[in-house]
Amino acid sequence: MSSIASNLARVQDRIAIAAEAAGRSPSDITLVGVTKYVGASETAELVRAGCTELGESRPQQLWEKAADEQLRSAAVRWHLIGHLQRNKVNRTLPLTALVHGVDSPRLLKAINTAAAGNPTPQQLLLEVNCSGDSEKHGFTPDALREFAPQLGDYQAVEICGLMTMASREGGEKSAREAFALLRDLQGELQPLVPDSVKLRELSMGMSGDFEAAIAEGATMVRVGSALWEGIRGG
Ligand SMILES: *Cc1c(COP(=O)(O)O)cnc(C)c1O
C-alpha cells in the first residue's frame, strides 16, 4: 500500500472508531480530503486510494486541480472549504459540488444570481463564527437567527447545512465547545427556516479535532495534514 493509501486508511479507521464511540454509523460521516498542501499527482493518488470528495481552500487552486489532466476525468466532487470572493463566484460554481464557506447575505445572493438557470441548485453551507473571534469569517449565531426566515428566498441554491472552524489557539476544549454550539444552532434554526430548507449537514473538524467534531455530530470532516504525513510536498 502506498503511504497515501495507508494514511487514508488510518484516517478512515479513526473516523469509524469515533463514530462508533458516539453511537453513530461511520457511513453518516463524509470525509473531505483536503488537498491544498500537495500537487495534482499526490491528489490523484488519494483519489485512486478511494477518496473522491476533495477540498481546496483557495478558488484558484481548485480551478487548477479540477482542470489538471490527472484529475479531470476522475469521479471527483470538489468542495470549496475556504473563503469565496464574489468576483470568483462565476468561475468557481461550475466546478464545485459544495461551497462550505458562505459567510454573508451578499455572497449568498451572488451565488444565487450566478446559479440562476442551472439545472440543479448550487449546494452550499453557511459558515458560522462559533469562536467569537472577530478575525474569522462567518455569520455570528445571532445574525443567522435573524436571517433564518429569509433562507427560502434563494431559489437557485440548496442550503444544506452549517460549517465552522474551531480557533487554532483555543485547544481541544474550545474546539469541542464550538462544535457543540454549531450542533445546537442547527437544532435551533431548523424550526425558524422555511420548510424547503433542510439543515442536515454539519461540516466541522480537521486533522487535530475531527474526533471531537464527530462526537458532537459532524456529518462532514475536512481533513488535510493527517492524509499527507510523510508525503513529500505534504
Ligand atoms: C486547511 C483546512 C482544513 C484542513 O486542515 P488540517 O488541519 O490540515 O486537516 C480544513 N478546513 C479548512 C477550512 C481548511 O482551510
Side-chain angles (χ1 to χ4, degrees), residues 144-156:
L144 211 46
R145 288 181 187 105
E146 204 171 301
F147 190 47
Q150 293 165 55
L151 292 182
D153 298 352
Y154 301 88
Q155 306 270 323

Side-chain angles (χ1 to χ4, degrees), residues 34 36-37 56-57 81-82 163 165 168 205-208 222-226 228:
V34 176
K36 66 187 180 193
Y37 307 110
E56 280 287 334
S57 54
I81 60 174
M163 177 268 202
M165 281 180 80
R168 285 229 176 251
M206 324 200 313
S207 294
R222 311 178 305 268
V223 178
S225 326
W228 309 114

Side-chain angles (χ1 to χ4, degrees), residues 103-173:
D103 57 1
S104 69
R106 284 206 317 175
L107 178 58
L108 180 59
K109 196 168 171 201
I111 293 174
N112 189 63
T113 303
N118 288 358
T120 54
Q122 174 66 48
Q123 296 193 321
L124 58 84
L125 304 177
L126 301 176
E127 179 169 0
V128 183
N129 180 344
C130 288
S131 60
D133 178 348
S134 60
E135 308 274 283
K136 279 234 156 75
H137 290 290
F139 288 89
T140 63
D142 273 341
L144 211 46
R145 288 181 187 105
E146 204 171 301
F147 190 47
Q150 293 165 55
L151 292 182
D153 298 352
Y154 301 88
Q155 306 270 323
V157 303
E158 181 184 353
I159 300 168
C160 302
L162 307 177
M163 177 268 202
T164 199
M165 281 180 80
S167 86
R168 285 229 176 251
E169 314 75 46
E172 203 180 309
K173 182 158 172 286

Side-chain angles (χ1 to χ4, degrees), residues 10-220:
R10 199 169 321 122
V11 168
Q12 287 168 330
D13 280 351
R14 286 172 57 190
I15 290 173
I17 290 166
E20 276 152 21
R24 306 179 57 203
S25 165
S27 64
D28 292 342
I29 296 147
T30 301
L31 168 63
V32 178
V34 176
T35 57
K36 66 187 180 193
Y37 307 110
V38 297
S41 59
E42 292 86 355
T43 302
E45 194 171 327
L46 183 69
V47 173
R48 283 194 297 275
C51 183
T52 55
E53 306 279 335
L54 301 181
E56 280 287 334
S57 54
R58 293 176 189 272
Q60 291 96 320
Q61 285 181 299
L62 190 153
W63 305 342
E64 282 167 25
K65 286 236 176 67
D68 190 280
E69 57 180 19
Q70 299 176 72
L71 291 163
R72 222 171 23 210
S73 58
V76 169
R77 281 167 40 90
W78 284 104
H79 296 246
L80 182 72
I81 60 174
H83 185 60
L84 178 58
Q85 299 83 357
R86 278 178 298 140
N87 63 358
K88 297 192 174 120
V89 164
N90 281 325
R91 186 155 173 200
T92 303
L93 296 191
L95 305 170
T96 305
L98 183 65
V99 181
H100 287 233
V102 178
D103 57 1
S104 69
R106 284 206 317 175
L107 178 58
L108 180 59
K109 196 168 171 201
I111 293 174
N112 189 63
T113 303
N118 288 358
T120 54
Q122 174 66 48
Q123 296 193 321
L124 58 84
L125 304 177
L126 301 176
E127 179 169 0
V128 183
N129 180 344
C130 288
S131 60
D133 178 348
S134 60
E135 308 274 283
K136 279 234 156 75
H137 290 290
F139 288 89
T140 63
D142 273 341
L144 211 46
R145 288 181 187 105
E146 204 171 301
F147 190 47
Q150 293 165 55
L151 292 182
D153 298 352
Y154 301 88
Q155 306 270 323
V157 303
E158 181 184 353
I159 300 168
C160 302
L162 307 177
M163 177 268 202
T164 199
M165 281 180 80
S167 86
R168 285 229 176 251
E169 314 75 46
E172 203 180 309
K173 182 158 172 286
S174 96
R176 184 106 187 213
E177 283 167 3
F179 301 148
L181 196 155
L182 195 71
R183 186 208 47 227
D184 290 347
L185 189 63
Q186 174 193 38
E188 199 187 316
L189 291 175
Q190 190 57 58
L192 304 178
V193 302
D195 283 344
S196 59
V197 178
K198 305 277 185 257
L199 301 173
R200 57 183 190 278
E201 304 288 354
L202 288 177
S203 167
M204 55 191 196
M206 324 200 313
S207 294
D209 53 25
F210 69 80
E211 279 114 336
I214 290 170
E216 297 295 348
T219 63
M220 291 185 167

